[in-house]
């Protein structure tokens, strides 16, 4: 009998503080969380202040020597750099340190690969991974300079680099076609929602802010909740019944993070676009996190990248039960602000009332008396609006209701 034990990777976190950037300590703390989520353990940290990142080795010569000694002393299996490395930087670091070299993007892609559950999620992750690898084939040098071996490859030949690049681009083409099919399906569902005039609210926020917990508490969605980064990856949509007999669809989206790789934004555009086509944005913020201001800015920057503008935003300062000091937090970019604790169900009834009020802002109040031969109008009001009062009189049906602006001319 042989006992097989999975070896836990021991990594050193490496970051460069440039004159342009700040918040290196917070960024490395977040990188530590990412590494732990991916299943490794961070055993050390190396930081260097430079005007610019070294184009060849990421770190300067002296700091690189220090890192080499630290890898040996701490018996580390690899290093993780806080920025996306170029192929040359990755190659040079591997040669100098003689250990595994990773960057922030690789760690995030690894987490996403482990979390994808739906076929769409798996396609998006593979597409992001292939785009990342395609840009780095050149950095693999010697191992890719050979001719492809085997029968049928003699003659002018095709270098392994060219063959790998061709195969990767072929696979990227296939995955893009599959994603386009998924996109068409999403557009069809979206068109149906618009036809039925169903209102949609997209739940967005920094990763681990409590979006899934909020969706579960409001709708009983049974989405995975964990105190980890990117615990849920695939979007979930559920119906929420509001107090005044109105309904709204809530869609959970993938969490945002600083330095979110552009490969991921591109690959997950179809998922993230749920926010673009929503009627309302629910922005969940972890009020107990000391970096909440920076997290909010990352979310707004990512929304702008996706072209999300002119949407009503309700900012929810979540995890109030973990806040030691009950400070009155503000978000000047939001239309409404609420302080809640999704886990303790604090402030959720106020949220439902607010959602109802926001939906009614775009509706027109009507008082009408319809003769009985026009009772079909009442059915239209019920389907698209909210009936406040309904009374059957000898001369007809008296109705007080709220209806959407686009329905008003028809009734």
């Amino acid at each position: 009998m042989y006992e097989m034990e999975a070896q836990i990777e021991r990594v050193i976190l490496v970051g460069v503080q440039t004159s342009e950037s700040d918040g290196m300590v917070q960024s490395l703390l977040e990188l530590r969380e990412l590494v732990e989520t991916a299943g490794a353990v961070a055993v050390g940290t190396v930081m260097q202040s430079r005007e610019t990142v070294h184009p060849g080795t990421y770190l300067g010569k002296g700091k690189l020597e220090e890192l080499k000694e630290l890898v040996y002393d701490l018996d580390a299996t690899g290093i993780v750099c806080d920025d996306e490395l170029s192929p040359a930087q990755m190659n040079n670091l591997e040669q100098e340190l003689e250990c595994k070299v990773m960057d922030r993007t690789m760690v995030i892609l690894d987490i996403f690969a482990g979390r994808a559950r739906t076929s769409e999620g798996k396609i998006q992750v593979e597409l992001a991974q292939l785009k990342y690898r395609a840009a780095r084939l050149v950095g693999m040098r010697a191992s890719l300079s050979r001719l492809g071996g085997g029968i049928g490859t003699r003659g002018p030949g095709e270098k392994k680099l060219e063959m790998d690049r061709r195969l990767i681009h072929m696979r990227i083409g296939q995955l893009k076609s599959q994603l386009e099919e998924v996109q068409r399906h999403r557009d069809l569902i979206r068109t149906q929602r618009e036809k039925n005039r169903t209102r949609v609210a997209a739940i967005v926020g920094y990763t681990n802010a409590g979006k899934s917990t909020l969706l579960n508490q409001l709708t009983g969605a049974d989405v995975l909740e964990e105190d980890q980064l990117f615990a849920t990856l695939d979007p979930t949509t559920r119906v929420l019944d509001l107090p005044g007999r109105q309904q709204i669809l809530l869609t959970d989206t993938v969490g945002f993070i600083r330095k979110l790789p552009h490969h991921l934004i591109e690959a997950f555009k179809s998922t993230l676009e749920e926010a673009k086509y929503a009627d309302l944005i629910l922005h969940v913020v972890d009020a107990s996190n000391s970096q909440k201001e920076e997290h909010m800015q990352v979310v707004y920057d990512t929304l702008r990248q996706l072209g999300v503008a002119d949407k009503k935003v309700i900012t929810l300062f979540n995890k109030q039960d973990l806040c030691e000091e009950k400070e009155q937090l503000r978000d000047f970019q939001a239309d409404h602000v609420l302080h809640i604790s999704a886990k303790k169900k604090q402030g959720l009834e106020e949220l439902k009332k607010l959602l109802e009020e926001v939906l009614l802002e775009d509706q027109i109040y009507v008082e009408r008396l319809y003769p009985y031969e026009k009772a079909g109008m009442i059915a239209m009001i019920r389907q698209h609006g909210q009936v406040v009062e309904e009374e059957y009189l000898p001369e007809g049906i008296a109705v007080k209701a709220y209806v959407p602006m686009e329905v008003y001319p028809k009734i």
Side-chain angles (χ1 to χ4, degrees):
M1 293 287 288
Y2 291 95
E3 284 191 22
M4 302 296 287
E5 191 179 334
Q7 187 185 2
I8 296 172
E9 290 188 72
R10 295 165 57 83
V11 297
I12 294 171
L13 309 179
V14 184
V16 173
Q17 171 91 47
T18 62
S19 53
E20 300 167 1
S21 64
D22 56 358
M24 173 53 62
V25 175
Q26 285 74 29
S27 189
L28 284 174
L29 284 172
E30 188 174 85
L31 184 62
R32 180 183 290 271
E33 278 190 73
L34 285 168
V35 162
E36 287 169 359
T37 302
V41 59
V43 293
T45 304
V46 171
M47 287 189 285
Q48 183 175 30
S49 294
R50 288 176 60 93
E51 284 194 17
T52 56
V53 168
H54 193 288
T57 53
Y58 186 63
L59 295 170
K61 191 176 179 182
K63 194 59 84 170
L64 193 59
E65 286 297 321
E66 184 186 316
L67 178 58
K68 193 172 183 178
E69 287 178 23
L70 198 62
V71 168
Y72 180 78
D73 292 341
L74 297 175
D75 193 25
T77 55
I79 68 160
V80 181
C81 297
D82 195 40
D83 298 284
E84 194 168 301
L85 298 174
S86 69
Q89 286 171 334
M90 193 167 281
N91 215 309
N92 292 337
L93 282 170
E94 279 180 354
Q95 287 183 353
E96 285 286 335
L97 302 172
E98 297 176 351
C99 70
K100 189 175 180 180
V101 176
M102 296 165 281
D103 60 16
R104 191 184 184 95
T105 304
M106 283 177 75
V107 176
I108 292 174
L109 286 171
D110 187 73
I111 294 167
F112 271 49
R115 294 288 160 88
R117 293 288 175 269
T118 63
S119 57
E120 182 188 4
K122 288 171 183 173
I123 291 168
Q124 289 167 325
V125 170
E126 189 182 347
L127 184 59
Q129 285 178 326
L130 288 175
K131 282 183 174 180
Y132 176 80
R133 284 175 193 160
R136 276 152 186 76
L137 281 178
V138 183
M140 295 176 186
R141 292 183 184 169
S143 65
L144 297 176
S145 63
R146 302 186 303 271
L147 291 178
I151 297 169
T153 60
R154 296 184 182 92
E158 180 179 29
K159 288 186 178 178
K160 192 171 184 296
L161 168 64
E162 293 158 357
M163 192 168 69
D164 283 3
R165 185 181 284 150
R166 179 171 54 82
L167 290 171
I168 282 177
H169 284 297
M170 278 172 62
R171 182 61 180 155
I172 285 173
Q174 290 171 351
L175 291 171
K176 279 185 174 175
S177 301
Q178 290 176 33
L179 264 187
E180 281 168 16
E181 189 61 42
V182 172
Q183 182 69 45
R184 279 195 289 273
H185 180 63
R186 276 189 183 279
D187 290 341
L188 194 66
I189 293 171
R190 208 174 278 131
T191 307
Q192 192 61 41
R193 284 176 190 166
E194 287 169 6
K195 197 174 173 183
N196 295 335
R197 293 182 177 85
T198 309
R199 299 304 183 92
V200 180
I203 304 173
V204 305
Y206 208 79
T207 183
N208 206 24
K211 299 182 298 299
S212 299
T213 305
L214 178 68
L215 185 70
N216 286 344
Q217 296 287 27
L218 287 173
T219 66
D222 195 29
V223 175
L224 175 69
E225 298 172 30
E226 276 186 31
D227 187 18
Q228 280 189 330
L229 305 185
F230 302 116
T232 48
L233 180 59
D234 301 306
T236 306
T237 302
R238 293 290 183 270
V239 176
L240 172 64
D241 294 310
L242 298 173
R245 290 190 290 180
Q246 286 199 90
Q247 286 188 334
I248 188 168
L249 289 176
L250 296 183
T251 300
D252 189 12
T253 60
V254 65
F256 300 157
I257 196 167
R258 73 179 88 197
K259 299 180 184 177
L260 189 66
H262 67 274
H263 316 282
L264 280 177
I265 291 178
E266 275 302 310
F268 279 78
K269 217 157 199 173
S270 61
T271 303
L272 293 168
E273 275 185 344
E274 287 295 327
K276 188 176 179 180
Y277 295 104
D279 302 286
L280 183 67
I281 302 292
L282 289 180
H283 177 194
V284 183
V285 180
D286 181 354
S288 66
N289 195 306
S290 59
Q291 299 300 306
K292 52 185 168 287
E293 299 289 341
E294 289 87 340
H295 292 181
M296 287 162 66
Q297 197 53 51
V298 168
V299 171
Y300 282 120
D301 288 344
T302 309
L303 288 174
R304 274 190 283 274
Q305 272 183 276
L306 295 165
V308 178
D310 304 323
K311 304 279 181 191
K312 282 185 181 173
V313 177
I314 298 176
T315 293
L316 305 172
F317 286 106
N318 190 26
K319 304 189 184 181
Q320 289 294 321
D321 54 309
L322 301 178
C323 295
E324 293 176 6
E325 295 177 15
K326 303 292 178 186
E327 54 179 320
Q328 198 65 26
L329 301 166
R330 290 185 175 85
D331 179 6
F332 295 105
Q333 297 186 67
D335 298 277
H336 303 276
V337 171
L338 273 181
H339 294 73
I340 68 164
S341 170
K343 200 165 187 178
K344 302 287 183 183
K345 296 189 177 181
Q346 293 170 9
L348 297 191
E349 290 306 315
E350 288 87 339
L351 173 58
K352 288 179 185 178
K353 286 175 189 170
L354 179 59
L355 284 170
E356 189 177 21
E357 287 169 18
V358 170
L359 292 182
L360 289 176
E361 283 173 8
D362 298 327
Q363 300 194 32
I364 299 171
Y365 178 71
V366 291
E367 286 187 20
R368 291 281 185 279
L369 178 67
Y370 292 102
Y372 285 101
E373 61 267 23
K374 289 193 175 180
M377 292 290 184
I378 310 294
M380 189 183 290
I381 291 170
R382 280 202 199 98
Q383 184 182 355
H384 301 298
Q386 180 191 354
V387 176
V388 177
E389 197 177 299
E390 189 176 344
E391 191 179 355
Y392 289 81
L393 303 169
E395 59 271 28
I397 307 166
V399 176
K400 293 178 182 178
Y402 288 94
V403 292
M405 293 177 186
E406 59 269 25
V407 175
Y408 180 71
K410 297 177 184 177
I411 59 134

